[in-house]
Amino acid sequence: MKRSILLALLFSVLTFVMAVPFSLHPGSRLLVDAPDTHLFLWTLAWEAHALVTQPLSIFDGNFYYPYDNTLAWSENIIGSGLLAAPIIWLTGNVVLALNLVALLSHVLCGLGAWRPYCTETGRSMASVSSFRALRQSGVLKT
């Protein structure tokens, strides 16, 4: 458990360093200013809103009226929405929420890749290279 916490801290630091200058301004910079990014921003904001106001109707997004379950017609990113919602509730900053979830996903991918590397090689510190390998393979792009 202690090793996992230390690795999470290590991967957090590595993520921050590898994502500079993006990680220095997570509340005001978008990684990519594209239509998909705007869709993700809207989706996270909708999910944070719906979780408080109508949690059983979260898929009834406020577009394509009068149709039901319109959020299911696109990427609903519910998992990311659950992580982003508290950030949105506390700060009201959807850009910050999107970026923190993106940075957190790098840390979680590093931890997820570390386990099989450690199991296969038997070397804990050598398996930290799994994070760098993921980053360079294009899986973790910022």
Side-chain angles (χ1 to χ4, degrees), residues 44 47 76-88 97-98 101-102 105:
L44 291 177
E47 289 172 354
N76 58 59
I77 58 175
I78 295 281
S80 297
L82 292 174
L83 294 173
I87 299 166
I88 295 169
L98 176 70
V101 168
S105 71

Side-chain angles (χ1 to χ4, degrees), residues 42-69:
W42 175 86
T43 304
L44 291 177
W46 169 257
E47 289 172 354
H49 166 77
L51 284 170
V52 173
T53 60
Q54 55 184 25
L56 298 178
S57 300
I58 195 167
F59 284 100
D60 289 331
N62 60 355
F63 60 99
Y64 297 132
Y65 179 81
Y67 297 106
D68 294 329
N69 298 316

Side-chain angles (χ1 to χ4, degrees), residues 9-108:
L9 289 172
L10 175 65
F11 289 141
S12 297
V13 169
L14 288 172
T15 297
F16 182 85
V17 170
M18 290 177 168
V20 167
F22 171 71
S23 60
L24 294 174
H25 309 283
S28 59
R29 285 194 175 174
L30 290 172
L31 187 57
V32 177
D33 191 13
D36 279 349
T37 305
H38 295 273
L39 173 65
F40 293 149
L41 288 169
W42 175 86
T43 304
L44 291 177
W46 169 257
E47 289 172 354
H49 166 77
L51 284 170
V52 173
T53 60
Q54 55 184 25
L56 298 178
S57 300
I58 195 167
F59 284 100
D60 289 331
N62 60 355
F63 60 99
Y64 297 132
Y65 179 81
Y67 297 106
D68 294 329
N69 298 316
T70 55
L71 188 60
W73 298 2
S74 182
E75 291 112 12
N76 58 59
I77 58 175
I78 295 281
S80 297
L82 292 174
L83 294 173
I87 299 166
I88 295 169
W89 297 331
L90 291 172
T91 66
N93 189 339
V94 183
V95 172
L96 176 66
L98 176 70
N99 290 337
L100 290 181
V101 168
L103 292 171
L104 177 63
S105 71
H106 286 63
V107 175
L108 295 175

